[in-house]
Amino acid sequence: MTSVPIHDTGALFQIAEPTDQRRAQRRPGRGIGIDLGTTNSLVALAPHGAAPRVLRDSSGSGLVPSVVAYTVDPPLVGRAAQALQAEHPSQVLSSVKRLMGRGLADINFAHPYHLSEETPGLLRIDVGSQVGSPLGSPGASRRVTPTEVSAAILRELKLRAEAELGEPCDGAVITVPAYFDDAQRQATRDAGRIAGLQVYRLLAEPTAAALAYGLDRGGEGLFAVYDLGGGTFDVSLLRLHKGVFQVLATGGDSALGGDDFDRALAARLLERAGVGEPTRNQLDAARLAARAAKERLTEETATRVALPGLPELEVTRAEFEALIEPLAQRTLRACRQALKDAGLRAPELDGVVLVGGSTRVPKIRELVAETFKRPPLSDIDPDEVVAWGAAIQADILSGSAREGVTLLDVVPLSLGLETMGGIVEKIIPRNATIPIAARQVFTNYAEHQTGMVIHVVQGERELARDCRSLARFDLKGIPRLPPSMARVEVTFQLDADALLTVSARELMTGVRQSVEVKPTYGLSEEEVDRLVMDSLDHAGDDYARRNAAEARVELGRVVLALRTAVAEVGHLRELLPDDERARLEAALADADAVMADADAVADPLNRARTALEKVSEPFARRRMERALNAGMAGKSLHDIERALADEDALQEKRAGHTPELLEPEEP
């Protein structure tokens, strides 16, 4: 198939909320903002333009621990569940946000759960089972998905909001890490629906923080938002100007956070205590003790830790900081990459905003200040600032008469199509502002082609095999036309939630094909980072391989055209004498041999094409002369001049580069 920029059509890649929700009647002032966190979650209100406020329990705490206990039915949520964690570790689930939208093969980080996957991509947690115990054992009688666990937390937050409002809430803005992929976002939206919430919008956590911070301070300028929570890390660079919040670049790691600090310290404590192979209960106890020690070390230079049945140990802040240094450096690499992507230097920023409870760690604040060349701003409680922003956006979307704010987010990874030769044609580039729609026209590769295989990919590499496959579908019923004559329009559209729709149609006949693609699990943050960094590390090799792929496609086109022409003329010696036919067949055999070498670089492929074009030139000229003579027979000079003008216009239109889509369907 081939490409030129271009309009809209039917859905092919549909990941969106139901139409009924979009059309639901909204009530001003009844929208709530939810920060669904790995460690703690919050709900906030900002009705009718009021200042945002986090809703608190009777003890004055706004934090709801993201912990669910399946010791009773319905399950307990929050502090009540957390109190049972030490006693019933296999029935109390926490940090489940890390498992959202993932398949079993994607879990490459530490966790305490027994996971199963009866359906590919649908992860289940075996509640009550011990790690390593056989499925179907007495403790594994109940299996829940991460989405269900998150829905229980959201339901608890919804009840807290409705107790405050005195009536049902209208809908919610739920925040997600900026680097959550389509599957993780969809899992979050599904959790909201299960909890009985109308999800107005999914809002990136750094963007929510900037919204709250910018409106609170009335600030404008360039800001970095460093968001380190319990299980995820994001960094975003934003421009705030006259109520417009534009994300310039984003980066991060959706499997890195304070939980990893806890595990590192817990492992060190068990090692110092002489525990070689800890039990599940010892691991859980050590992790809880490590979290408490981490929080105390925020204010103290040393603390003592007591583990059940083990001697008391002292931990210094210096020891803890040395343990977390490698993890902290991973966040800083993402910060430097985001600066590079945005084309900015650290001194150009007007401020750095801290978000997430893990930014309370003194070492983190010190490293952030060193990286961005300025002390970070921390006027707003880093635990609450994301919920503030979500509440403000929820109030706007509920229809309240609040001064409008425009949020311009970005897509973290390029989206495109595989074309002939396995080459990626990027349709939406990385860090493009969303919502966005982009269109491109492709054409056919082979004569009499009646269908095309369209392969949607995500990534930064030049070849499709190095990128993430998202969807593959057939477009059938295109007219039988010579090569490069068919026109198929493909549209990519990302909505405000960064959820993708792909559509296609054949322009001449209007035929269209559609397919709904479910979210593709498995695009972990490590994969995103690897795809981005690989594109930089392998840029030279990638372009060499791309050039070779393009040369192979062009040589294949010439070989196909010549073989078709030779077959058409048969044994007409006046068009193709025997000696010339022999030279042509030899050149075709040489071209076949070069193309048979899968590792061939561009130069030998290009030389083979040049040789083939040279030896076939007399044959091509005679065929053209015969076609012209046949075409001019019985026509006036005026008719011939008009036909030539039309042909010139057609060649001009086809002069642009138009990559052919991979795998044309056989007629």
Side-chain angles (χ1 to χ4, degrees):
M1 220 173 143
T2 347
S3 102
V4 180
I6 31 191
H7 273 242
D8 275 300
T9 62
L12 288 172
F13 192 106
Q14 185 78 39
I15 306 175
E17 59 191 326
T19 305
D20 290 346
Q21 272 197 11
R22 294 189 177 194
R23 295 179 180 175
Q25 184 72 32
R26 295 185 178 180
R27 296 177 298 161
R30 292 295 180 266
I32 63 175
I34 293 177
D35 174 8
L36 181 61
T38 306
T39 306
N40 294 294
S41 297
L42 304 92
V43 59
L45 284 170
H48 303 296
R53 60 190 176 92
V54 169
L55 304 185
R56 306 182 184 281
D57 60 19
S58 57
S59 66
S61 175
L63 300 177
V64 176
S66 299
V67 182
V68 181
Y70 288 90
T71 54
V72 294
D73 194 15
L76 300 174
V77 177
R79 298 193 186 282
Q82 196 174 44
L84 298 172
Q85 199 158 21
E87 186 180 355
H88 302 281
S90 63
Q91 294 175 285
V92 180
L93 308 182
S94 62
S95 298
V96 170
K97 183 175 176 178
R98 284 185 160 194
L99 305 177
M100 293 284 280
R102 296 178 182 271
L104 191 59
D106 313 315
I107 309 303
N108 55 4
F109 47 84
H111 66 85
Y113 304 120
H114 189 156
L115 304 177
S116 60
E117 190 180 57
E118 295 171 8
T119 303
L122 183 58
L123 198 67
R124 292 187 183 277
I125 306 168
D126 299 324
V127 177
S129 66
Q130 301 295 325
V131 174
S133 64
L135 294 179
S137 63
S141 58
R142 180 168 185 176
R143 296 172 182 174
V144 295
T145 66
T147 301
E148 292 174 88
V149 181
S150 292
I153 299 168
L154 290 172
R155 192 178 294 111
E156 180 72 15
L157 297 170
K158 175 174 175 277
L159 291 173
R160 180 176 289 196
E162 291 177 342
E164 179 76 15
L165 291 169
E167 61 178 310
C169 62
D170 181 63
V173 168
I174 303 175
T175 62
V176 293
Y179 249 33
F180 255 24
D181 62 42
D182 287 333
Q184 292 166 308
R185 289 171 184 266
Q186 185 63 28
T188 304
R189 180 180 292 282
D190 289 344
R193 293 173 57 200
I194 294 169
L197 286 165
Q198 179 190 355
V199 181
Y200 288 160
R201 180 176 176 183
L202 301 178
L203 184 63
E205 289 165 3
T207 309
L211 175 60
Y213 196 89
L215 292 184
D216 180 66
R217 296 172 55 88
E220 293 196 348
L222 294 167
F223 288 85
V225 180
Y226 180 99
D227 182 356
L228 183 61
T232 60
F233 167 68
D234 285 304
V235 59
S236 291
L237 300 177
L238 306 97
R239 177 179 286 116
L240 284 61
H241 180 64
K242 295 183 178 179
V244 176
F245 290 67
Q246 181 181 8
V247 180
L248 304 178
T250 190
D253 192 326
S254 62
L256 173 64
D259 285 357
D260 299 286
F261 297 175
D262 301 342
R263 288 192 179 92
L265 181 54
R268 176 59 59 87
L269 292 171
L270 290 169
E271 179 187 343
R272 286 178 54 189
V275 180
E277 295 185 9
T279 65
R280 166 71 179 273
N281 286 346
Q282 286 176 319
L283 283 171
D284 288 334
R287 186 165 51 86
L288 292 173
R291 177 176 296 176
K294 175 188 69 176
E295 293 171 355
R296 292 196 298 272
L297 289 172
T298 298
E299 304 295 336
E300 304 168 9
T301 58
T303 187
R304 301 195 70 81
V305 180
L307 299 177
L310 296 172
E312 192 175 72
L313 300 168
E314 183 180 70
V315 180
T316 66
R317 181 187 290 178
E319 181 182 8
F320 173 66
E321 289 177 346
L323 278 174
I324 68 169
E325 176 84 21
L327 297 168
Q329 290 298 331
R330 282 168 58 185
T331 73
L332 301 179
R333 285 196 293 273
C335 292
R336 288 188 285 269
Q337 184 62 48
L339 284 167
K340 184 177 180 180
D341 289 345
L344 295 173
R345 294 178 298 108
E348 296 178 69
L349 298 176
D350 296 295
V352 181
V353 178
L354 295 181
V355 180
S358 297
T359 61
R360 298 182 190 278
V361 175
K363 185 65 173 179
I364 295 297
R365 296 195 174 204
E366 175 189 324
L367 292 173
V368 169
E370 288 177 4
T371 300
F372 289 105
K373 315 300 182 190
R374 67 184 68 248
L377 304 169
S378 54
D379 306 28
I380 306 176
D381 186 335
D383 282 322
E384 297 188 355
V385 65
V386 167
W388 281 28
I392 292 168
Q393 183 68 1
D395 189 48
I396 293 169
L397 295 179
S398 75
S400 288
R402 178 187 287 272
E403 183 179 350
V405 176
T406 303
L407 301 176
L408 302 177
D409 219 330
V410 297
V411 58
L413 207 61
S414 299
L415 294 157
L417 295 176
E418 181 179 3
T419 62
M420 284 302 298
I423 300 166
V424 174
E425 185 73 11
K426 292 183 175 67
I427 308 297
I428 296 180
R430 177 172 179 260
N431 279 328
T433 300
I434 57 175
I436 185 175
R439 303 179 181 92
Q440 197 156 338
V441 171
F442 295 82
T443 190
N444 57 320
Y445 174 72
E447 195 164 359
H448 306 310
Q449 182 178 334
T450 60
M452 300 171 183
V453 176
I454 299 176
H455 185 199
V456 183
V457 297
Q458 186 176 32
E460 303 308 312
R461 301 290 292 275
E462 294 297 321
L463 298 183
R465 68 189 184 198
D466 299 318
C467 293
R468 171 77 174 187
S469 175
L470 292 183
R472 196 186 291 265
F473 58 88
D474 298 332
L475 181 64
K476 299 180 179 180
I478 64 174
R480 295 174 179 266
L481 293 171
S484 302
M485 293 297 292
R487 289 290 182 268
V488 173
E489 176 187 86
V490 179
T491 302
F492 280 49
Q493 186 164 350
L494 281 169
D495 66 13
D497 293 333
L499 301 176
L500 176 65
T501 301
V502 177
S503 56
R505 68 173 176 176
E506 200 284 316
L507 296 178
M508 182 177 294
T509 62
V511 65
R512 63 183 66 187
Q513 198 76 23
S514 65
V515 61
E516 184 173 302
V517 181
K518 298 298 181 184
T520 304
Y521 294 124
L523 190 58
S524 67
E525 185 48 39
E526 288 80 6
E527 286 180 303
V528 174
D529 287 340
R530 177 180 57 77
L531 289 168
V532 173
M533 296 310 297
D534 281 355
S535 71
L536 302 175
D537 295 341
H538 299 90
D541 291 342
D542 280 357
Y543 280 107
R545 288 158 64 191
R546 182 187 181 107
N547 289 338
E550 289 177 341
R552 186 179 295 275
V553 169
E554 290 305 311
L555 177 56
R557 186 198 305 277
V558 174
V559 168
L560 178 62
L562 276 174
R563 287 221 160 94
T564 301
V566 170
E568 284 178 354
V569 302
H571 296 285
L572 291 177
R573 289 185 173 84
E574 65 270 22
L575 286 180
L576 188 59
D578 290 342
D579 58 338
E580 194 173 310
R581 181 188 292 270
R583 290 194 297 273
L584 184 55
E585 292 289 357
L588 283 168
D590 290 344
D592 288 340
V594 174
M595 288 197 296
D597 181 3
D599 299 323
V601 296
D603 285 347
L605 292 162
N606 286 330
R607 284 196 298 270
R609 178 172 55 82
T610 300
L612 197 54
E613 288 172 341
K614 184 176 181 180
V615 75
S616 65
E617 186 178 351
F619 172 52
R621 185 171 60 250
R622 286 191 292 272
R623 288 188 74 231
M624 184 178 294
E625 288 171 353
R626 188 177 76 160
L628 285 173
N629 289 334
M632 289 188 294
K635 294 184 179 179
S636 67
L637 180 61
H638 175 72
D639 291 338
I640 293 171
E641 288 175 342
R642 186 170 61 183
L644 288 173
D646 291 344
E647 178 64 22
D648 287 343
L650 179 60
Q651 292 298 328
E652 212 171 289
K653 181 178 179 181
R654 293 171 55 188
H657 171 61
T658 45
E660 297 84 358
L661 285 187
L662 185 66
E663 300 178 24
E665 185 184 63
E666 291 296 325

